[in-house]
Amino acid sequence: MARRNEHSKAQLRTLAIAAVRAIVAEQGPDKLSVRKVAEHIGYTPGMLYHVFACLDDLILHANAVTLDGLLQRMQAATALSPAEALQTMAGQYLALAREEPHLWQLVFMHRMPQAAAVPAWYQQRTLQLFVLVEDQMARLSAQQDAAAVHLAARTLWSSVHGISVLAVENKLSIAGDVDETAMLQSLIHHYLASWARNSVNGDDA
Amino acid sequence: MARRNEHSKAQLRTLAIAAVRAIVAEQGPDKLSVRKVAEHIGYTPGMLYHVFACLDDLILHANAVTLDGLLQRMQAATALSPAEALQTMAGQYLALAREEPHLWQLVFMHRMPQAAAVPAWYQQRTLQLFVLVEDQMARLSAQQDAAAVHLAARTLWSSVHGISVLAVENKLSIAGDVDETAMLQSLIHHYLASWARNSVNGDDA
């Protein structure tokens, strides 16, 4: 193709990642293909394999952009009190899912081929998000040990994820009239109220 | 086809529902089609439309069987104390997701066409499940009003769903080593501990 030599490898990677995000945002994760990405940026599919190992590698890099956006949203809350920060971070998680449902779904729908391990650089990207939550949990209760903070942060994330996925996929109506923001607030308020108190009197039940 | 007249409408409905469940359990929700269901029971697709309005109608009836199984699992816990009952019910939800992941996914992946309303008979099926949870919440705290019980039951369900969906889709490994059963126990223990106490001192925050 005529444009083949117009871009450096780095530029081509950036173009391809942006193309994946544009295609998924518009058409949904199921409609993504190497051919569409190549067409979108005016290169041959073969050229993409010069800069990405495979479509999964490309998808992980597109997902990393989504996670970086979430990290930025959540970091803005760290100046608040721990409980307020965690409420705000949960709200940002739901807001991202609402504002970019297809890109958000791509993060959770994507599976590595043949159950291959997620690369370390991507694991590190997700770990940054948990560290943000764990820092607030630790501020909330200095007496909880690392294992308790680890479990609590992941329990809150999984629970917030459940409320968000049911809200974004319009599955809450089956449960009768219920507001996802009220559920988020109830979840975090009550979980933290007991979790922080237990740490003080040493009850880890 | 030769077998066309072998079964009554009621028998044909039962056969078709069983066929949907067998196909989905084996091949996954994405592989389901009217043609496959018809082939599975030895009838023409046309015959299926004599007993079901559409594939969505058939899927809802297949999902109802899954929900009835969940209801039975959960009802077995009602003899326990409220907190133990809710812990056990959450464990049954996760167990169903683990034991029948494809049938469980069909319940949550299915969308009504053109956002058509879910029929009243199916809404009633799901309501029975929430009533089981609400009864335990009410036992736990007689002073919470119906609105508070409604919100708390749906908050717990959505949270348990989040832990279950991440576990079944093998998305927890990205969060580092974490046990979904420990998360369920932590979620329900801490949420209930604060929720029940707040009802006593009137703090609904």
Side-chain angles (χ1 to χ4, degrees):
Chain A
M1 287 188 174
R3 297 181 48 197
R4 182 169 298 171
N5 300 320
E6 283 179 19
H7 301 103
S8 67
K9 273 197 170 190
Q11 289 173 318
L12 190 51
R13 288 174 64 88
T14 304
L15 281 171
I17 291 166
V20 167
R21 293 176 56 78
I23 292 163
V24 169
E26 187 185 321
Q27 303 176 35
D30 301 337
K31 298 286 188 290
L32 184 65
S33 70
V34 169
R35 181 189 53 73
K36 278 188 185 174
V37 175
E39 282 176 2
H40 197 280
I41 61 177
Y43 281 86
T44 62
M47 276 302 289
L48 283 177
Y49 290 113
H50 284 290
V51 289
F52 290 100
C54 56
L55 180 58
D56 298 288
D57 181 33
L58 180 48
I59 288 172
L60 286 180
H61 282 84
N63 284 343
V65 178
T66 304
L67 294 181
D68 290 346
L70 178 59
L71 186 70
Q72 278 194 330
R73 285 169 173 261
M74 289 169 61
Q75 279 171 331
T78 52
L80 301 168
S81 73
E84 288 174 317
L86 290 165
Q87 287 279 7
T88 302
M89 290 176 181
Q92 291 293 349
Y93 192 92
L94 174 61
L96 173 65
R98 279 220 165 288
E99 292 165 24
E100 298 183 334
H102 287 159
L103 290 170
W104 184 78
Q105 286 165 344
L106 187 66
V107 172
F108 295 101
M109 286 176 59
H110 177 252
R111 286 190 184 79
M112 295 300 289
Q114 294 91 40
V118 176
W121 70 265
Y122 190 83
Q123 290 262 8
Q124 186 56 38
R125 252 347 193 288
T126 59
L127 183 61
Q128 292 177 318
L129 292 164
F130 284 109
V131 167
L132 271 189
V133 175
E134 289 173 341
D135 287 349
Q136 299 305 317
M137 301 298 292
R139 282 177 66 202
L140 194 67
S141 166
Q143 299 178 52
Q144 293 273 24
D145 64 18
V149 168
H150 179 97
L151 175 63
R154 282 141 186 86
T155 301
L156 278 183
W157 162 60
S158 302
S159 301
V160 169
H161 180 75
I163 292 169
S164 301
V165 72
L166 289 167
V168 167
E169 297 183 359
N170 299 314
K171 292 297 184 185
L172 290 175
S173 57
I174 196 72
D177 185 32
V178 61
D179 173 53
E180 55 266 30
T181 301
M183 288 198 290
L184 278 186
Q185 290 170 351
S186 176
L187 163 71
I188 292 172
H189 167 78
H190 288 305
Y191 185 88
L192 294 183
S194 168
W195 186 83
R197 189 182 64 261
N198 284 2
S199 69
V200 175
N201 59 33
D203 161 22
D204 296 336
Chain B
M1 288 187 169
R3 296 181 51 198
R4 181 169 299 171
N5 299 319
E6 282 178 18
H7 302 104
S8 68
K9 273 197 168 188
Q11 290 173 317
L12 190 50
R13 287 174 64 88
T14 305
L15 283 171
I17 291 168
V20 167
R21 294 176 57 80
I23 292 163
V24 169
E26 187 185 321
Q27 304 176 34
D30 300 337
K31 297 286 187 290
L32 184 65
S33 70
V34 169
R35 181 188 54 74
K36 279 189 186 175
V37 175
E39 281 175 2
H40 197 279
I41 62 177
Y43 281 84
T44 62
M47 277 302 288
L48 283 177
Y49 290 112
H50 283 292
V51 289
F52 290 100
C54 56
L55 180 59
D56 298 289
D57 181 32
L58 179 48
I59 288 172
L60 286 180
H61 282 84
N63 284 343
V65 177
T66 304
L67 294 181
D68 290 347
L70 179 59
L71 187 69
Q72 278 195 330
R73 287 168 171 262
M74 288 170 61
Q75 279 170 332
T78 53
L80 301 168
S81 72
E84 289 173 319
L86 290 165
Q87 287 279 6
T88 302
M89 289 177 182
Q92 291 293 351
Y93 191 93
L94 174 62
L96 173 65
R98 280 219 165 288
E99 292 164 24
E100 298 182 334
H102 287 161
L103 290 170
W104 184 78
Q105 285 164 345
L106 187 66
V107 172
F108 294 103
M109 285 176 58
H110 177 253
R111 286 192 183 76
M112 295 300 291
Q114 294 90 39
V118 175
W121 70 265
Y122 190 82
Q123 289 262 9
Q124 186 57 37
R125 258 336 197 294
T126 59
L127 184 60
Q128 291 178 318
L129 292 164
F130 284 109
V131 167
L132 271 188
V133 175
E134 289 173 342
D135 287 349
Q136 299 305 318
M137 302 298 292
R139 282 177 66 201
L140 194 68
S141 167
Q143 298 177 52
Q144 292 274 24
D145 63 17
V149 167
H150 179 96
L151 175 63
R154 283 144 186 83
T155 301
L156 278 183
W157 163 60
S158 302
S159 302
V160 169
H161 179 75
I163 292 169
S164 301
V165 73
L166 289 167
V168 167
E169 298 182 359
N170 299 313
K171 293 297 183 185
L172 290 175
S173 57
I174 195 72
D177 185 31
V178 59
D179 173 50
E180 55 265 32
T181 302
M183 287 198 291
L184 278 187
Q185 290 169 351
S186 175
L187 164 70
I188 291 171
H189 167 77
H190 289 303
Y191 186 87
L192 294 183
S194 168
W195 187 83
R197 191 182 62 262
N198 284 3
S199 69
V200 174
N201 59 32
D203 162 21
D204 297 335

